[in-house]
């Protein structure tokens, strides 16, 4: 029996608005599994990660999978929502718009120990309450340039599932997302939307800057990570992701993430 999705509002970003005096603002939330943070946007960029739990951040252009070892950058004014597949301890840092980096699209980043320490050092008290640290504003101004420098040095990792503008190609992509275990070939999937395999392959390269195989791998990771986070056996996740053998799935997974599937299995908080 599946759990019902619990929808919540955008977690009061207006109470953490960065400004010239406080260019970095941080907030933390402890959210239960199957929580959906509704679509929202704000005029400043953000960096989001979870100290525990895998999250999925979605925009109109696709989805980004964020395990605890990574963070996702969201530019200013980009509508986004967040889905939690398990209990998660969520930390978000808002940056004043004049701070760098000025990336125009969402990016999944590897979190260095220093970057993690800087984000966790920020006060998380909302406006209207006295900060837990009376020197919070001063510390935020000191931390800001170092945090931005560390951000710009961070390794960018593709754990996202972009969606194309072409209607036929989008139909093909959404069919696979609904059934990642399906083993139809690209030629068979292309025929189902009235196109040739060559045409579909070209559209993937032109519209998304990646091959069909690369896009399918991203879709499989997006499907597999939440299942692993729920504690599902690797063999079951491999089968649900369309892989005939566990070894083939594990090899793909480790090449893409740098870790084995078992590294992403977590015991749910009671």
């Amino acid at each position: 029996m599946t759990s019902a999705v619990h929808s919540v509002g955008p977690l009061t970003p207006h109470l953490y608005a960065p400004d010239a005096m406080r260019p970095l603002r941080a907030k933390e939330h402890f959210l239960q599994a199957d929580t959906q943070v509704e679509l929202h946007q704000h005029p400043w960029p953000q960096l989001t990660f979870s100290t525990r739990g895998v999250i999925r951040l979605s925009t109109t252009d696709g989805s980004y999978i964020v395990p605890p070892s990574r963070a996702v950058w969201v530019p200013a004014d980009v509508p986004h929502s967040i889905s939690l597949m398990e209990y998660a301890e969520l930390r978000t840092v808002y940056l004043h718009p004049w701070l760098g980096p000025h990336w125009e699209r969402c990016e999944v980043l590897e979190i260095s120990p220093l970057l993690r320490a800087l984000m966790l050092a920020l006060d998380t008290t909302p406006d209207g309450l006295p900060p837990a640290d009376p020197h919070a504003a001063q510390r935020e101004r000191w931390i800001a340039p170092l945090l931005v420098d560390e951000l710009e040095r961070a390794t960018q990792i593709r754990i996202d599932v972009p969606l194309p503008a072409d209607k036929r190609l989008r139909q093909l992509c959404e069919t696979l997302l609904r059934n990642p275990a399906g083993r139809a070939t690209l030629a068979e999937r292309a025929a189902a939307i009235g196109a040739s395999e060559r045409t579909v392959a070209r559209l993937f390269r032109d519209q998304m800057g990646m091959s069909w195989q690369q896009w399918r791998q991203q879709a499989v990771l997006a499907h597999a990570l939440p299942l692993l986070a729920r504690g599902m056996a690797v063999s079951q996740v491999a089968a649900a992701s369309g892989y005939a053998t566990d070894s083939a799935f594990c090899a793909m997974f480790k090449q893409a993430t740098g870790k084995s599937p078992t590294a992403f299995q977590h015991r749910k908080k009671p």
Side-chain angles (χ1 to χ4, degrees):
M1 183 177 178
T2 57
S3 302
V5 174
H6 175 58
S7 181
V8 299
L11 306 180
T12 60
H14 64 285
L15 296 180
Y16 301 86
D19 56 30
M21 291 299 295
R22 302 189 66 181
L24 295 179
R25 297 296 304 275
K27 67 177 183 179
E28 63 179 350
H29 289 278
F30 305 94
L31 300 172
Q32 297 300 317
D34 301 308
T35 297
Q36 171 83 26
V37 180
E38 296 172 355
L39 191 71
H40 64 285
Q41 65 188 79
H42 33 70
W44 53 79
Q46 74 177 50
L47 188 67
T48 295
F49 76 106
S50 65
T51 55
R52 171 186 173 139
V54 176
I55 65 173
R56 184 200 308 266
L57 186 141
S58 299
T59 70
T60 54
D61 296 324
S63 295
Y64 301 81
I65 308 302
V66 192
S69 59
R70 274 87 188 232
V72 61
W73 168 269
V74 182
D77 298 313
V78 171
H80 56 281
S81 62
I82 298 174
S83 301
L84 287 85
M85 307 306 168
E86 58 174 341
Y87 171 86
E89 299 173 4
L90 194 65
R91 178 69 65 112
T92 299
V93 176
Y94 294 139
L95 295 87
H96 194 282
W98 55 254
L99 286 176
H102 300 291
W103 297 321
E104 296 182 355
R105 54 158 286 165
C106 295
E107 300 287 352
V108 177
L109 308 169
E110 188 76 37
I111 302 177
S112 68
L114 177 56
L115 181 56
R116 177 179 292 272
L118 292 170
M119 291 190 287
L120 293 176
L122 297 169
D123 189 281
T124 58
T125 307
D127 289 343
L129 295 175
D133 179 356
H135 304 291
Q138 185 180 56
R139 282 171 58 82
E140 287 158 355
R141 292 194 296 274
W142 286 344
I143 289 173
L146 183 55
L147 184 142
V148 170
D149 183 68
E150 196 67 9
L151 264 182
E152 292 175 338
R153 294 169 180 264
T155 301
Q156 298 180 3
I157 300 167
R158 293 301 298 266
I159 309 185
D160 63 296
V161 186
L163 292 174
D166 183 90
K167 291 183 179 179
R168 290 187 303 169
L169 194 62
R170 195 178 186 106
Q171 179 185 338
L172 183 152
C173 291
E174 290 177 345
T175 298
L176 183 137
L177 291 174
R178 286 193 297 269
N179 180 28
R183 297 182 185 177
T185 65
L186 180 58
E188 292 168 335
R189 295 179 186 276
I193 62 169
S196 69
E197 180 178 7
R198 178 175 293 184
T199 296
V200 169
R202 176 180 55 78
L203 286 172
F204 266 100
R205 291 192 302 271
D206 293 348
Q207 292 200 14
M208 292 189 284
M210 64 177 71
S211 68
W212 152 254
Q213 291 82 3
Q214 290 170 322
W215 184 88
R216 182 180 181 277
Q217 177 176 289
Q218 297 303 105
V220 166
L221 288 171
H223 174 70
L225 278 165
L227 298 180
L228 291 167
R230 289 178 179 271
M232 182 180 286
V234 172
S235 59
Q236 292 177 295
V237 177
S241 302
Y243 279 76
T245 66
D246 298 358
S247 59
F249 172 76
C250 290
M252 177 281 297
F253 196 98
K254 189 165 186 178
Q255 182 181 29
T257 68
K259 297 182 181 180
S260 69
T262 54
F264 293 89
Q265 289 180 314
H266 303 286
R267 183 174 297 175
K268 294 176 79 172
K269 183 170 180 176

